[in-house]
Amino acid sequence: MTSPPRADDAHPYLRASTAGIRHHARTLDLSVPPEPVNRLHLDVLHAHLTAVHRLLDQLAEAARPPYPGAGRHLAAAHARLWQATAEVHAAFHLLPSAATETTECHPERLPEGPPVLTICQRHLAAGHIVRRKTTPTDLNRPPHTTACVR
């Protein structure tokens, strides 16, 4: 019989991702005037948020049958994270573009720049998941769960 993994051995890729985010936040030196945020930075952050969004969706689905209370909390986190992801996407389009004067979202084509900048396509794909599982009312209401509810 195998024993469960130790806490420091569990989910190594998530732990590495968290460490990477922490390292990035520490390296932003606030003692000197920071460089303005750019579209590439927001594209990478959006990719991270949508990956966490998908993970929360899967965890909420797995938790709901045996633990409905935990599933509700994860579903609430899923909705709140979508709101954060949508704001990052909106901020991306408010930043100046090197290639063109327009900041409109054109999901039918790649945004200007290298092909890795696929924020609009990624955002639309994540939006399909949100629309299947969340109502507009759920997205607009404040969180209603508390940590004490069981």
Side-chain angles (χ1 to χ4, degrees):
M1 182 172 183
T2 62
S3 61
R6 293 186 2 229
D8 51 346
D9 291 339
H11 312 291
Y13 295 114
L14 274 178
R15 295 173 67 76
S17 175
T18 302
I21 293 289
R22 285 183 184 148
H23 175 74
H24 184 71
R26 279 194 304 268
T27 60
L28 293 175
D29 186 4
L30 299 178
S31 64
V32 296
E35 290 184 28
V37 66
N38 60 42
R39 287 181 139 203
L40 181 58
H41 198 185
L42 291 185
D43 182 60
V44 172
L45 180 59
H46 187 271
H48 184 79
L49 288 172
T50 54
V52 173
H53 185 259
R54 180 175 291 158
L55 177 61
L56 268 174
D57 181 44
Q58 293 171 341
L59 291 173
E61 287 297 315
R64 274 193 186 118
Y67 307 106
R72 281 192 302 275
H73 283 282
L74 292 172
H78 181 257
R80 300 291 101 36
L81 187 58
W82 171 251
Q83 291 170 333
T85 304
E87 294 300 331
V88 170
H89 180 248
F92 174 91
H93 287 292
L94 292 175
L95 293 178
S97 166
T100 172
E101 293 297 315
T102 183
T103 59
E104 295 174 2
C105 183
H106 295 284
E108 71 279 1
R109 66 174 197 235
L110 287 174
E112 64 288 337
V116 297
L117 294 176
T118 57
I119 189 169
C120 295
Q121 288 89 357
R122 184 185 324 113
H123 195 71
L124 284 172
H128 288 294
I129 294 170
V130 170
R131 282 190 294 284
R132 276 193 326 222
K133 309 221 176 188
T134 315
T135 67
T137 303
D138 290 336
L139 291 174
N140 291 324
R141 83 169 66 134
H144 61 280
T145 58
T146 63
C148 300
V149 175
R150 289 185 185 215

